[in-house]
Amino acid sequence: MIYKETESVNDKPQEVPDDKIQENVLRGEKLIARSKKSIQTIILADLFIFVIGIATLSLGSIFFDNLFLIIYPILSLFIFFMLFSTASIYYKWLYHILRNLRKWTETRFFPKDAAIGSLFPCIGQFMTFFIFKDILTQQKKILEEHGIYSAPIPTFLLLTPLIPASALFLFFLLTLGMIKSIQFWAFLVFTSFFFPIIRYVFIFKVLFDIFAIITLLIYMKLVQQPISNEKAIAQLNIDNTNP
């Protein structure tokens, strides 16, 4: 849901402790770095699994077969850990950028509601458009009030999270059409991630990894302008506190 600011906002911007803004700028840069590392991890892990899998099929070695069965779930868990870590940083960054912004101006979303809501599949990606548009609009207003140029709001870029949202929605519809065999499909998906016993179910893991990489790339691009604007606001706050 969309909320209006309930607290009174003074005509003159209230000062936000500069260390809070700078801390969140660093958190945003860490988010981009962690996203890049997650993408690299997924690609390298999949390449390693592919090489071990080919070696197992080609050589017919029991050693490689056992190695494959051990390495596969370990790498899958590591990928999930990296993705969870990235999502956690994103949650904290989004929460704090809204919290800092509300000290300067009105926002349509409460920080915690926006941060939690944006993590929900499909609905979260839809909300992201409105959340980021509001952030960029308010940042632009603050900067331009102080005579600082702010780049135009990239409306098309704000719509890109709908790409993974649409993919998730289509997958949901396909699964819904097979509701009678949902337990069977759940078993196949679980097996494809952690127990590579049935070879042809690897397609689920491949699709998931492609989906994860595309989503990370989209959000890496999406957060760059809000981070850049927040950095400018942090500098503005420093200049205001100087004698």
Side-chain angles (χ1 to χ4, degrees):
M1 294 180 63
I2 298 177
Y3 298 88
K4 286 289 185 180
E5 172 69 74
T6 55
E7 299 175 2
S8 61
V9 179
N10 297 330
D11 294 334
K12 184 178 179 180
Q14 303 175 26
E15 289 187 357
V16 186
D18 178 64
D19 57 344
K20 295 292 184 182
I21 303 178
Q22 289 188 342
E23 181 182 349
N24 203 48
V25 170
L26 294 176
R27 188 179 287 114
E29 293 173 347
K30 181 181 178 182
L31 172 61
I32 294 176
R34 183 61 59 86
S35 298
K36 291 180 180 178
K37 188 174 292 185
S38 296
I39 292 173
Q40 293 172 355
T41 300
I42 293 172
I43 294 174
L44 291 175
D46 285 352
L47 286 175
F48 185 75
I49 289 173
F50 177 77
V51 170
I52 295 295
I54 292 297
T56 301
L57 295 174
S58 301
L59 302 176
S61 170
I62 297 177
F63 171 77
F64 278 104
D65 192 49
N66 291 334
L67 180 64
F68 183 76
L69 293 174
I70 295 172
I71 293 296
Y72 188 95
I74 292 176
L75 290 178
S76 293
L77 282 172
F78 187 67
I79 289 173
F80 271 108
F81 171 78
M82 290 293 295
L83 293 175
F84 178 80
S85 175
T86 305
S88 298
I89 299 173
Y90 171 76
Y91 170 87
K92 293 177 183 178
W93 171 80
L94 184 59
Y95 171 82
H96 284 285
I97 197 172
L98 278 166
R99 185 177 181 185
N100 292 337
L101 198 57
R102 284 166 66 88
K103 299 297 182 179
W104 290 80
T105 184
E106 294 181 351
T107 61
R108 301 175 68 190
F109 293 86
F110 289 118
K112 185 174 290 187
D113 292 344
I116 294 176
S118 65
L119 294 178
F120 281 97
C122 293
I123 298 174
Q125 281 76 51
F126 179 77
M127 288 180 59
T128 297
F129 171 82
F130 298 99
I131 295 169
F132 274 75
K133 186 176 182 180
D134 185 45
I135 290 173
L136 290 171
T137 299
Q138 300 306 326
Q139 288 179 332
K140 186 178 180 66
K141 183 176 72 174
I142 293 170
L143 292 173
E144 290 182 348
E145 283 177 353
H146 291 80
I148 299 175
Y149 171 78
S150 176
I153 298 174
T155 304
F156 178 77
L157 178 62
L158 297 183
L159 291 171
T160 53
L162 296 179
I163 297 173
S166 300
L168 280 176
F169 183 69
L170 288 175
F171 179 77
F172 172 75
L173 289 180
L174 290 173
T175 305
L176 194 64
M178 303 171 184
I179 194 68
K180 294 181 180 179
S181 58
I182 189 66
Q183 293 180 344
F184 174 71
W185 283 101
F187 169 76
L188 286 183
V189 172
F190 183 76
T191 301
S192 69
F193 281 109
F194 299 108
F195 301 101
I197 301 171
I198 308 173
R199 304 295 180 183
Y200 69 85
V201 299
F202 287 178
I203 187 63
F204 288 106
K205 177 167 171 50
V206 172
L207 290 175
F208 174 83
D209 290 346
I210 293 174
F211 172 82
I213 290 174
I214 292 174
T215 303
L216 288 169
L217 288 172
I218 287 173
Y219 277 84
M220 279 173 57
K221 185 68 176 177
L222 189 66
V223 302
Q224 287 178 355
Q225 188 168 328
I227 292 172
S228 178
N229 287 345
E230 190 172 34
K231 189 180 297 185
I233 292 173
Q235 185 62 42
L236 174 66
N237 204 32
I238 291 174
D239 294 340
N240 286 341
T241 56
N242 286 335

